[in-house]
Amino acid sequence: MSKKVGILMGSDSDLPIVRKATDMLDSLGIPYEVHVYSAHRTPVEAAEFSKNARASGFGAMIAFAGMAAHLAGAVAANTTLPVIGVPCKSSNLDGLDALLSTVQMPTGIPVATVAINGGGNAALLAAQILATADETLAEKLIAKRAADAAKVLEKDAAVSAEFNR
Ligand code: RP5
């Protein structure tokens, strides 16, 4: 069994993006735990969860936040587990505010930031981190890459049939 992925979101309004990650983790059979802990509204809970995460059996963390998105950085400040930040598009600035707030971390406290609303890739990156110590999971990821590539080649065949006569 893989280690767990800890998933935190700044608000339940981030849930549609969080579900992209939980769906992906479900498809890979990776256990996880999900909480609404905000860097600003519930900083004590966010810090306590992060401080205890390694001892609680987590192997990677994913933090979702929009606007002044400090959650991933706040988590990273309190653990040496790998932290993946997902900037969420939730304001008038189209997510650029969250992207910059998440990605621009000072040396010493890294956050691996994925694309705006990139919940699926956040889960895959967490899976790849866990797979460094889990051969069964590594095999699943290799199989998924092959299945994804096969789907693209099917689409290529359809497009080729239409245009390349
Ligand atoms: C952030 O502020 C949350 O992560 C959310 O993306 C954004 C808006 O939160 P709500 O006002 O919808 O609760 O902290």
mmCIF file of all heavy atoms in Angstrom, residues 10-11 13-14 41 64-67 88 90, ligand 1:
data_model
loop_
_atom_site.group_PDB
_atom_site.id
_atom_site.type_symbol
_atom_site.label_atom_id
_atom_site.label_comp_id
_atom_site.label_asym_id
_atom_site.label_seq_id
_atom_site.Cartn_x
_atom_site.Cartn_y
_atom_site.Cartn_z
ATOM 1 N N GLY A 10 -7.956 25.745 0.423
ATOM 2 C CA GLY A 10 -8.203 26.958 1.199
ATOM 3 C C GLY A 10 -9.668 27.210 1.465
ATOM 4 O O GLY A 10 -10.028 27.873 2.441
ATOM 5 N N SER A 11 -10.524 26.672 0.582
ATOM 6 C CA SER A 11 -11.972 26.890 0.716
ATOM 7 C C SER A 11 -12.687 25.739 0.014
ATOM 8 O O SER A 11 -12.160 25.181 -0.956
ATOM 9 C CB SER A 11 -12.353 28.210 0.046
ATOM 10 O OG SER A 11 -13.756 28.300 -0.127
ATOM 11 N N SER A 13 -14.898 26.142 -1.930
ATOM 12 C CA SER A 13 -15.155 26.594 -3.312
ATOM 13 C C SER A 13 -14.090 26.059 -4.274
ATOM 14 O O SER A 13 -14.262 26.135 -5.489
ATOM 15 C CB SER A 13 -15.247 28.128 -3.380
ATOM 16 O OG SER A 13 -14.009 28.713 -3.028
ATOM 17 N N ASP A 14 -12.983 25.529 -3.734
ATOM 18 C CA ASP A 14 -11.936 24.917 -4.573
ATOM 19 C C ASP A 14 -12.261 23.460 -4.932
ATOM 20 O O ASP A 14 -11.528 22.825 -5.699
ATOM 21 C CB ASP A 14 -10.578 24.940 -3.842
ATOM 22 C CG ASP A 14 -10.125 26.338 -3.488
ATOM 23 O OD1 ASP A 14 -10.318 27.247 -4.321
ATOM 24 O OD2 ASP A 14 -9.578 26.528 -2.386
ATOM 25 N N ARG A 41 -7.447 31.784 7.100
ATOM 26 C CA ARG A 41 -8.634 31.707 7.970
ATOM 27 C C ARG A 41 -8.460 30.703 9.100
ATOM 28 O O ARG A 41 -9.033 30.877 10.178
ATOM 29 C CB ARG A 41 -9.858 31.313 7.137
ATOM 30 C CG ARG A 41 -10.266 32.377 6.131
ATOM 31 C CD ARG A 41 -11.234 31.806 5.110
ATOM 32 N NE ARG A 41 -11.759 32.812 4.212
ATOM 33 C CZ ARG A 41 -12.234 32.535 2.992
ATOM 34 N NH1 ARG A 41 -12.238 31.290 2.550
ATOM 35 N NH2 ARG A 41 -12.692 33.501 2.225
ATOM 36 N N PHE A 64 -4.332 23.273 -2.498
ATOM 37 C CA PHE A 64 -5.124 24.007 -3.500
ATOM 38 C C PHE A 64 -5.529 25.348 -2.897
ATOM 39 O O PHE A 64 -6.081 25.379 -1.796
ATOM 40 C CB PHE A 64 -6.414 23.253 -3.832
ATOM 41 C CG PHE A 64 -6.208 21.936 -4.517
ATOM 42 C CD1 PHE A 64 -5.799 20.828 -3.813
ATOM 43 C CD2 PHE A 64 -6.441 21.813 -5.870
ATOM 44 C CE1 PHE A 64 -5.621 19.600 -4.442
ATOM 45 C CE2 PHE A 64 -6.265 20.597 -6.515
ATOM 46 C CZ PHE A 64 -5.849 19.489 -5.792
ATOM 47 N N ALA A 65 -5.279 26.432 -3.614
ATOM 48 C CA ALA A 65 -5.757 27.727 -3.122
ATOM 49 C C ALA A 65 -5.836 28.725 -4.262
ATOM 50 O O ALA A 65 -5.087 28.627 -5.237
ATOM 51 C CB ALA A 65 -4.847 28.261 -2.013
ATOM 52 N N GLY A 66 -6.751 29.669 -4.103
ATOM 53 C CA GLY A 66 -6.895 30.728 -5.086
ATOM 54 C C GLY A 66 -6.591 32.078 -4.476
ATOM 55 O O GLY A 66 -6.245 32.185 -3.298
ATOM 56 N N MET A 67 -6.667 33.108 -5.296
ATOM 57 C CA MET A 67 -6.434 34.511 -4.901
ATOM 58 C C MET A 67 -5.022 34.673 -4.315
ATOM 59 O O MET A 67 -4.056 34.279 -4.949
ATOM 60 C CB MET A 67 -7.537 34.983 -3.956
ATOM 61 C CG MET A 67 -8.911 34.897 -4.622
ATOM 62 S SD MET A 67 -10.288 35.340 -3.567
ATOM 63 C CE MET A 67 -10.129 37.118 -3.572
ATOM 64 N N CYS A 88 -5.576 28.006 -7.940
ATOM 65 C CA CYS A 88 -6.956 27.854 -8.393
ATOM 66 C C CYS A 88 -7.477 29.167 -8.961
ATOM 67 O O CYS A 88 -7.272 30.230 -8.389
ATOM 68 C CB CYS A 88 -7.845 27.421 -7.220
ATOM 69 S SG CYS A 88 -7.391 25.814 -6.542
ATOM 70 N N SER A 90 -10.015 31.633 -9.202
ATOM 71 C CA SER A 90 -11.206 31.928 -8.409
ATOM 72 C C SER A 90 -11.432 33.425 -8.250
ATOM 73 O O SER A 90 -12.157 33.846 -7.374
ATOM 74 C CB SER A 90 -11.077 31.297 -7.027
ATOM 75 O OG SER A 90 -9.966 31.850 -6.367
HETATM 76 C C1 RP5 B 1 -8.702 31.089 -1.194
HETATM 77 O O1 RP5 B 1 -9.594 32.079 -1.550
HETATM 78 C C2 RP5 B 1 -9.406 29.792 -1.451
HETATM 79 O O2 RP5 B 1 -8.479 28.786 -1.742
HETATM 80 C C3 RP5 B 1 -10.322 30.087 -2.599
HETATM 81 O O3 RP5 B 1 -9.745 29.674 -3.835
HETATM 82 C C4 RP5 B 1 -10.431 31.609 -2.576
HETATM 83 C C5 RP5 B 1 -11.843 32.076 -2.350
HETATM 84 O O4 RP5 B 1 -12.356 31.490 -1.193
HETATM 85 P P1 RP5 B 1 -13.914 31.661 -0.826
HETATM 86 O O5 RP5 B 1 -14.127 33.136 -0.634
HETATM 87 O O6 RP5 B 1 -14.687 31.095 -1.982
HETATM 88 O O7 RP5 B 1 -14.110 30.857 0.434
HETATM 89 O O8 RP5 B 1 -8.314 31.181 0.125
#
